[in-house]
Amino acid sequence: MEERAEDRFRVADAPPENWVDAHAPASLRPYARLARLDRPIGWWLLLLPCWWSVALASEGWPSPVLLVLFLIGAVAMRGAGCTWNDIVDRDIDAAVARTRSRPIPSGAVSVKQAWAFLLLQCLIGLCVLLTFNNFAILLGFSSLILVAIYPFMKRITYWPQFVLGLAFNWGALMGWAAVEGELSLAPILLYLGAIAWTVGYDTIYAHQDKEDDALIGVKSTALKFGASTKKYLWAFYGAMMAALVASAVTAGLGFFFYPVAALAAALLVWQIVTLDIDDPARCLRLFRSNRDFGLIVFAAIVAGQIA
């Protein structure tokens, strides 16, 4: 009976047999789901621009300590961002088929409990941030306004994915700042490219909800682009690769960056060519493949530094 009661709180769009449902203590599962620990793709997408930037700023191999610190920070702050988003969007989530099983609209976590959990995750992120230099600390704090306003953007603009890109890729600046204590052109180019990447992959993701979004008045680039989505993806993914190469040239990366980066570009082409905007399962699979894209880009930058 306990397991059957627990089943009703499982989140609809979480991967089947995820570790939270399979192994987390029952009392902690609602909070793990609220932080999206059952869907690691989100913290990967937050983490990878940080790792790119650390590698881009490093001479040779990037610091394992910095990589681990950014990993902890990404998991904590992705969870905090999701918790904040779910607090703000609890009424919208209750009206959308894919999200009504999330912890707050399903009743697994109260709003008061969600606020307490949000504070805990922010404290973990703060502990990580305070290990960095003063410039990186100030830069980290400056991102909070973007995180705060993002959940409201879908109510007022068809471009919430752009604001998500601004917030989600702040790590493309943070990694360089943590190494160098300043910013330069290379990480700024990387940041701009990552924003375009996010607009692309989150448009694919948003196509899962486009019918519900249209009914309840929520805006997205999926609704904005519609049947022309593939044309826009060529533009945004193309901008990502152009900015990435420009960043690599500016940072003086070696030859071996380029053939590995070409593999990353091929993965983006595969996403566009195989996309079916009316197949939610396909959209989700292509969206999740961006973790692999990000890891290939990280490998390309490291290859360009050491070879």
Side-chain angles (χ1 to χ4, degrees):
M1 291 296 294
E2 180 181 352
E3 182 62 29
R4 289 180 182 177
E6 168 64 20
D7 285 347
R8 70 190 180 93
F9 291 122
R10 291 184 176 178
V11 180
D13 60 347
E17 305 301 325
N18 66 82
W19 77 269
V20 171
D21 291 345
H23 303 296
S27 60
L28 298 181
R29 286 175 197 163
Y31 297 98
R33 292 166 181 154
L34 189 59
R36 308 290 198 274
L37 296 182
D38 53 348
R39 280 161 287 175
I41 181 61
W43 61 255
W44 273 114
L45 294 176
L46 184 63
L47 170 65
L48 286 163
C50 304
W51 280 9
W52 299 346
S53 190
V54 170
L56 194 67
S58 302
E59 294 183 5
W61 292 98
S63 164
V65 173
L66 276 180
L67 297 183
V68 171
L69 285 171
F70 275 112
L71 169 61
I72 296 169
V75 174
M77 294 313 296
R78 189 263 182 145
C82 289
T83 303
W84 168 239
N85 188 80
D86 284 8
I87 291 171
V88 173
D89 281 353
R90 57 190 182 274
D91 294 332
I92 291 176
D93 286 346
V96 175
R98 186 179 59 83
T99 58
R100 64 171 58 106
S101 58
R102 287 179 176 174
I104 297 177
S106 71
V109 174
S110 71
V111 174
K112 184 179 293 187
Q113 290 170 326
W115 275 110
F117 186 51
L118 172 61
L119 178 60
L120 174 62
Q121 293 171 99
C122 287
L123 287 174
I124 295 172
L126 178 62
C127 289
V128 172
L129 183 62
L130 292 178
T131 66
F132 297 151
N133 59 63
N134 289 338
F135 180 81
I137 291 172
L138 291 174
L139 187 64
F141 276 116
S142 67
S143 70
L144 293 180
I145 185 63
L146 293 170
V147 176
I149 67 173
Y150 165 66
F152 301 98
M153 292 299 100
K154 65 175 68 73
R155 296 163 170 82
I156 62 176
T157 177
Y158 280 101
W159 293 89
Q161 281 71 24
F162 176 73
V163 181
L164 178 66
L166 292 174
F168 227 61
N169 294 292
W170 204 254
L173 304 176
M174 286 293 299
W176 184 283
V179 175
E180 297 289 343
E182 61 181 8
L183 288 178
S184 65
L185 181 59
I188 292 172
L189 290 170
L190 185 66
Y191 177 57
L192 294 175
I195 293 169
W197 174 51
T198 296
V199 173
Y201 71 62
D202 206 60
T203 297
I204 293 174
Y205 185 81
H207 270 289
Q208 298 175 93
D209 299 329
K210 59 189 175 185
E211 294 180 2
D212 285 336
D213 286 350
L215 288 173
I216 63 179
V218 171
K219 300 176 174 66
S220 72
T221 48
L223 292 173
K224 176 73 173 177
F225 301 162
S228 299
T229 290
K230 287 191 176 186
K231 294 179 181 179
Y232 282 95
L233 289 179
W234 284 114
F236 283 109
Y237 281 170
M240 165 59 190
M241 293 309 303
L244 177 63
V245 170
S247 178
V249 171
T250 303
L253 295 188
F255 168 79
F256 286 99
F257 164 83
Y258 298 96
V260 183
L263 296 177
L267 195 153
L268 294 183
V269 170
W270 169 77
Q271 286 185 27
I272 298 170
V273 170
T274 63
L275 174 64
D276 180 352
I277 61 173
D278 296 316
D279 183 347
R282 186 67 185 172
C283 290
L284 184 59
R285 180 188 174 193
L286 295 178
F287 167 74
R288 288 175 176 163
S289 73
N290 282 284
R291 181 204 62 174
D292 301 331
F293 169 81
L295 288 171
I296 296 171
V297 170
F298 177 64
I301 296 172
V302 172
Q305 291 284 23
I306 66 176

